Amino acid sequence: MVRQAIKWVKANQDLLIDISDQIWEFAELGLEEYKSSKLLIKTLNEAGFSVKSNVADMSTAFYADYGKGKPVIGILGEYDALPGLSQKALPFREVLTEGAPGHGCGHNLLGVGSLGAALAVKEAIDTGDVKGNIRFYGCPAEETFNSKGYMIREGLFDDVDIAMTWHPDNFNRLNLMSSLAVNSVVFKFHGRTAHAAGDPQNGRSALDAVELMNIGANFMREHMLPDARLHYVITKGGDAPNVVPAEAEVYYFVRAPERHQVEELYTRLINVAKGATLMTETTMEIDFLSGMYNTMYTEVVSDVISNSMRNVGAPRFNKDDKIFANELKKSMPKDSLEGFYRLIPPEMMEMAKAIFSQPLNKIIIPPIGKGKVDPGSTDVADISWKVPLGEFTTACEAMGSPGHSWQNVATSGMSIGHKGMLTAAKILAISALDFMRNPDLVEKASKEHDHTHKDNPYISPLPEGLKPPYHRLKK
Ligand SMILES: [Zn+2]
């Protein structure tokens, strides 16, 4: 059965590569993935899945079921691109469409690798080898906000037994690191306009409030947990120096290892913003865009995935792939692997150096990173609090390629990315089959998850009634 699933992915690799390349070309931003989601839905419909589209108040969110009964295995797919990263599938910088988005996080591969797994599991259900329900989740806008949190709030994960996902990366490895919980919020200040030279005494500058808030926040940094993070950009600051700005806004991320720490910092930040309104005689409103948890993997799921990774093996890159990756390496920052070096225990350092000196990762990296925190955030974390979840990465990028880079856009649209994606599809498929064949594994995972969250249940970080932030999309 394991062989059959692997065979299915091999036999259908041209179809999967074609879908992935189309989504790579669409390169649609979060919440605007209309063509990408339509193509995935069409493929799932044609394969006989029952699709529910337009879910959880998002027109590009959907899920697709095949099979029936228990267990329900959910595989997560994403397909949003990043702004300004348009790039041809070439090993040097050459823009495909000026100013357009690009798949700098490889979510074209992510969505289609997961799709391939769901289709391969469907074949096993059809032949009567396994029983249960395989479900593909089409999750929009991973890069920008917590779409998965909305899907959870809608009850779409209530009957799920196991969830799994993967991500394109430099390496083939099991994800064991946690991620930072986050709130992303826009503070909007309202003042009173005036001629900045003619009657300044009548003006109350909203931009002053933004600047004073930022000063307060920067002083607050001194008194935060070392692992917490605070970043902001001014998204509106006025139009002309001779007009006192009546409207200004600043967009913040507040991150910390635990959800309650984010909430504490966020409360302090609101006080800083209130202080700024007092100083400037302005008013302030909060546009809460998103909140997410930290990731907590369930060990039983991680173990099943780890086993599947060893069964499938690493992607097999050829000479042309190596030449391409070596060429790309010339444009990369020298210290781009620094973060990984910090994860390597001393006894593995020699091996790590040998792996890191290669243009592409050709082996499965032994499990590393447990107990450490990746300083990014993802809405996969919310799923991990809701149901037992495991995640892994496969090598779809040249060694040393930074996250969200044009270099990743390049490899996501050619054979290096394709090979990593097909490897991921196989790993996900045989892991799902493992759970479908062994109800005791499902039960063990569920017990472990229940135990971890018994005093620490998932409470949606999204304030009641909050809608997905369509109003923030650029016109
Ligand atoms: Zn990503």
Side-chain angles (χ1 to χ4, degrees), residues 329-349:
K329 279 188 94 168
K330 292 180 187 164
S331 64
M332 288 175 199
K334 289 260 174 306
D335 61 353
S336 58
L337 286 167
E338 207 45 51
F340 286 102
Y341 272 111
R342 268 182 262 135
L343 296 178
I344 308 291
E347 68 275 13
M348 278 174 64
M349 198 45 93

Side-chain angles (χ1 to χ4, degrees), residues 78 80 82 104-107 110 142-143 166-168 377-378 391 404:
E78 298 165 9
D80 56 329
L82 288 157
C105 209
H107 290 185
L110 203 175
E142 189 277 338
E143 299 292 356
W166 75 287
H167 203 289
S377 306
T378 170
E391 184 180 18
H404 294 186

